Amino acid sequence: MALTPPRTLPPGLLIQTGQWVWSSLWQVMMSQMAPRDRDGAYIRPASQFRHDLGLPPELEKTEPEKIQPEKIQPEKTNSPHPAEPNRYRLIVGLSCPWAHRTLVVRALKGLEETIAVTLVVPRPEAGGWIFTEPFAGCQTLAQAYALAQPGYQGRCTVPVLWDDRHNTIVNNESADIIRLLNDRCNHFAQVPQRDLDPPDLRPTMEDWNTKIYHRVNNGVYRCGFAQTQAAYEQACGELFEQLDELEATLQHQRYLCGDRLTLADIRLFTTLFRFDAVYYSLFKCSRRRIQDYAALGGYGRELYQLPGVAETCNLQQVKQDYFGNLFPLNPGGIVPQSSQSFDWLAPHDRDHLPLSAA
Ligand SMILES: N[C@@H](CCC(=O)N[C@@H](CS)C(=O)NCC(=O)O)C(=O)O
């Protein structure tokens, strides 16, 4: 029996219509999700809550004055947010690399008992992050932002450093929060002697931070959220140029600033951790994987294996959140299997490189 061919639009017209509808929608969704400049390059919006933690009065005289982070609002004296145990919490999503930085520093400083963690998960249909359990009467992170600042109009991002006493946001910029956890909480940290922000290394840290933020941390997003071929080429070129420089440095140096672990390393680590599983494919950072770089791979492993760090790392959640929720980049929401996943627990082979006893 002869089969009747299925009735359909001519493929050419179907494809043209589909392409037009989809690409128009894609542009609209991308411009909501990822603001861009005139050339189609992604621009990350600036964080809006930049308050400091004050030191208790008895410590102000003894603790050496530290350089303030560039944009943080200095409130060291009479701060409405004095650093105290069991008063602050971090609101984080486990997939977010910026939030992950704060969990790593909390672990390395031994602040797990005194700074709580509240988890959020992404729900784009609810307009962003939602709490896994209701928090301060809020179901969504946007409600918590509105509690902190009625009428708040900006992005509702994680991480958030939250003050439980005043039910408000102290700071929502990861670069600030990790400095506050390192510098301000030593009187109740279990590992106060570990200084991840040593004054003598700050200029070197800043040099790395500037390059790594633009080309790697935000660089992977600039690849993934690029809305033109030229913007993608630029971001991808800079990313891999920077990874090559990092590889060359880390071949003969234990950490970015020499023989001491600093916040600059933590900032790099959380991007490296997500690279092969997510950025390589979803964000098209596909020239090489981190596991293809001997020094960077070993360096990533060493950081992962530091006490307390592995407990902050959840690759399954990372994959689920990125592939499942960035609809314009992955409309089907399918989470891919990883071909050869990197073994974070394998020997890091970094013990021959000098390590400071400090
Ligand atoms: N500059 C911020 C960026 C934080 C950020 O972009 N977080 C993302 C998750 S990875 C977020 O919460 N995005 C929600 C949104 O933009 O609406 C920081 O480093 O703290």
Side-chain angles (χ1 to χ4, degrees), residues 12-28:
L13 183 60
L14 185 63
I15 287 171
Q16 274 170 25
T17 314
Q19 267 181 345
W20 182 82
V21 171
W22 171 240
S23 63
S24 314
L25 253 177
W26 185 78
Q27 298 286 351
V28 172

Side-chain angles (χ1 to χ4, degrees), residues 50-69:
R50 309 292 296 265
H51 298 288
D52 199 351
L53 287 182
L55 285 172
E58 67 278 13
L59 284 181
E60 268 174 24
K61 291 184 195 69
T62 52
E63 194 96 341
E65 180 67 44
K66 294 241 179 184
I67 300 166
Q68 293 289 333

Side-chain angles (χ1 to χ4, degrees), residues 43-95:
I43 343 167
R44 182 173 292 277
S47 304
Q48 314 240 347
F49 296 83
R50 309 292 296 265
H51 298 288
D52 199 351
L53 287 182
L55 285 172
E58 67 278 13
L59 284 181
E60 268 174 24
K61 291 184 195 69
T62 52
E63 194 96 341
E65 180 67 44
K66 294 241 179 184
I67 300 166
Q68 293 289 333
E70 216 174 88
K71 290 188 194 126
I72 206 169
Q73 293 162 19
E75 290 165 340
K76 195 159 178 283
T77 48
N78 302 322
S79 165
H81 310 293
E84 290 171 4
N86 307 314
R87 169 166 173 174
Y88 299 95
R89 69 180 58 243
L90 293 167
I91 303 177
V92 297
L94 292 179
S95 50

Side-chain angles (χ1 to χ4, degrees), residues 33 42 44-47 95-99 101 127-129 141 155-159 172-175 177 213 221 322:
M33 184 175 83
Y42 170 57
R44 182 173 292 277
S47 304
S95 50
C96 169
W98 318 95
R101 298 167 162 188
W129 297 100
L141 185 64
R155 305 292 286 229
C156 299
T157 56
V158 288
N172 73 338
E173 169 52 51
S174 63
I177 298 173
Y213 172 78
Y221 285 85
Y322 274 90

Side-chain angles (χ1 to χ4, degrees), residues 91-110:
I91 303 177
V92 297
L94 292 179
S95 50
C96 169
W98 318 95
H100 191 185
R101 298 167 162 188
T102 68
L103 291 182
V104 172
V105 175
R106 172 177 174 265
L108 291 175
K109 293 291 286 193

